[in-house]
Amino acid sequence: MLPPHRILISPDKFKGTLTARQAAEAIARGLRCEFANSEITILPIADGGEGTVEALASVQGSASMHRVPTMDAYGRPRNADVVVLRDVSVCESASPLGLVIIEPALRDPWKASSRGLGLLLRDLAARGAKKIFVGLGGSATNDAGLGLAAALGWIFMDESGHPVDPLPVNFAFIQKLVPPEKAFAVEVVGLCDVNNPLLGADGASLVYGPQKGLAEPVRMDAEMARIADLVAKQSGLDYRNQPGAGAAGGLGYGLLTFACARLAPGFETIADLLGISEAIAGSDLVITGEGRIDRQTLFGKGPAALAKMAASHAKPVVAFCGQLEAGADEQGLFAEIVPMVDRETSAEVAVKRATETLELAAARFAARWIRRHAGVPGSPPAKSTSG
């Protein structure tokens, strides 16, 4: 195998610098310096969070991209990206509700609403979607999906029977909920790879709230618990302890409760839609990567999940990354890890010139591969390297 005949390049995003597709294309350009005759397939991956729509847009011939008008977490007009595969639509909570699109000075989860995602679901249903996958993650909201519920026709009232805008700042006034006349009729699947419940020490408010700018997360958790009690008492629905209920500020709970949804593992679902397993089986070498590979990488997301899938096909996996934590691959998932940051390249340079640096790292890897498999004396062993 000198060089590998068929190469699959399936990285996740390099957060903050490169999308998954940009990373894949940079790696491909670098590999072609030495692997000019290799057949290279680019198939970016995602775990159900940010980058999911872009990854699925790679499905040639059957996927189409759409921009759907809705609103952001603070009610401002916003277009959401959606990919449609036949009668299946895929969207991300982060597209209309993303934290990164909200200016830091404006971030206040007490006043943020998931209504924009509910409006998006309604629009997709009206366009004829039979099934909607919703990637959960990266949201600026922490409203347990009550804003989404309002967009789907649920009404929240105070003790006098007056409607209440279900922002977290108004949770204390909510005393009654009225379901819509008809339940949301389209099958909805929330994609997430976290197991957090809605409430408590591992819940949405205490774990993810502070990074969204949430003040008084303990009080928010208590307010949310009262809402969950009210919903359970008046509707008979209680998903607060379901794994994943706390995803995306409680949107997991909101989808389960108000959209009759189910939750599914993000990576496995997206990999199935992309045909990743079949692509691995037809490859001689699999390339993956993400911005940072550390011990957290081993817990099933993205590159690690891909490596485990490749192991079932007995295919070697090489991972590229921006930075590599010492001892990150204790399980030996990867045949080699190639960091962009090394003795010659600082972290600052790797960020500012991410595309060029990743392309160069791939070219150097390809040259080492050729030397190694040609039996050139002094070639480094196939394991974690420094570019």
Side-chain angles (χ1 to χ4, degrees):
M1 189 166 60
L2 177 65
H5 177 56
R6 295 165 299 183
I7 303 172
L8 173 65
I9 304 179
S10 293
D12 204 338
K13 61 186 174 294
F14 282 53
K15 195 168 186 179
T17 56
L18 299 172
T19 67
R21 173 156 288 278
Q22 288 170 338
E25 290 173 347
I27 293 169
R29 286 192 297 271
L31 294 183
R32 288 191 178 103
C33 293
E34 299 288 343
F35 299 162
N37 295 319
S38 295
E39 179 185 318
I40 295 178
T41 299
I42 290 177
L43 206 55
I45 59 171
D47 60 12
E50 296 168 85
T52 296
V53 166
E54 182 197 43
L56 286 171
S58 301
V59 181
Q60 299 298 320
S62 59
S64 59
M65 287 283 292
H66 300 270
R67 306 208 84 185
V68 179
T70 181
M71 63 177 61
D72 71 9
Y74 294 91
R76 300 175 299 186
R78 171 81 179 172
N79 290 325
D81 293 325
V82 176
V83 66
V84 177
L85 299 96
R86 297 169 295 279
D87 58 356
V88 175
S89 294
V90 185
C91 61
E92 303 170 16
S93 62
S95 189
L97 308 177
L99 179 65
V100 296
I101 64 177
I102 304 300
E103 304 90 321
L106 295 181
R107 295 173 185 173
D108 181 3
W110 286 98
K111 299 177 181 178
S113 172
S114 59
R115 183 182 294 268
L117 182 60
L119 294 175
L120 178 58
L121 296 185
R122 276 175 43 188
D123 190 294
L124 295 178
R127 291 169 184 249
K130 302 300 182 186
K131 188 174 188 177
I132 303 173
F133 288 101
V134 183
L136 298 177
S139 77
T141 60
N142 198 78
D143 70 345
L146 266 65
L148 174 147
L152 296 182
W154 289 75
I155 299 173
F156 300 89
M157 297 180 174
D158 63 17
E159 60 183 5
S160 299
H162 297 124
V164 176
D165 185 359
L167 295 171
V169 71
N170 296 329
F171 278 2
F173 300 110
I174 297 175
Q175 300 296 329
K176 182 181 180 182
L177 64 152
V178 179
E181 292 184 7
K182 293 183 179 180
F184 193 63
V186 177
E187 181 183 0
V188 178
V189 182
L191 303 179
C192 65
D193 280 321
V194 300
N195 294 316
N196 304 75
L198 178 65
L199 306 169
D202 296 322
S205 300
L206 297 181
V207 174
Y208 302 111
Q211 61 190 280
K212 302 179 183 187
L214 176 62
E216 300 183 89
V218 173
R219 182 166 74 89
M220 173 74 87
D221 188 67
E223 294 276 11
M224 206 175 275
R226 193 190 70 80
I227 291 294
D229 288 341
L230 185 70
V231 171
K233 181 178 179 181
Q234 296 189 14
S235 73
L237 303 173
D238 192 354
Y239 294 104
R240 73 185 81 187
N241 294 320
Q242 175 101 0
L251 276 173
Y253 170 86
L255 288 175
L256 289 164
T257 305
F258 306 115
C260 306
R262 61 183 177 87
L263 302 183
F267 175 81
E268 287 84 351
T269 303
I270 300 304
D272 183 58
L273 289 171
L274 287 170
I276 290 286
S277 183
E278 294 82 358
I280 289 172
S283 303
D284 301 312
L285 174 65
V286 178
I287 304 286
T288 188
E290 63 180 351
R292 177 179 171 82
I293 291 181
D294 52 27
R295 288 178 176 82
Q296 196 65 31
T297 302
L298 304 180
F299 290 96
K301 285 191 174 185
L306 182 80
K308 292 173 183 176
M309 187 178 288
S312 69
H313 293 283
K315 304 293 183 178
V317 180
V318 173
F320 286 79
C321 62
Q323 291 186 298
L324 172 63
E325 179 185 78
D329 191 22
E330 295 174 346
Q331 297 179 12
L333 291 175
F334 306 108
E336 185 170 349
I337 301 178
V338 183
M340 295 158 62
V341 175
D342 57 20
R343 292 185 298 273
E344 300 178 17
T345 306
S346 67
E348 182 179 4
V349 169
V351 170
K352 287 185 176 180
R353 301 167 63 184
T355 301
E356 179 183 341
T357 304
L358 182 55
E359 186 175 333
L360 179 59
R364 289 174 174 172
F365 159 76
R368 286 197 306 275
W369 177 283
I370 294 292
R371 293 196 304 271
R372 185 183 304 132
H373 288 79
V376 176
S379 297
K383 204 53 191 169
S384 301
T385 70
S386 298

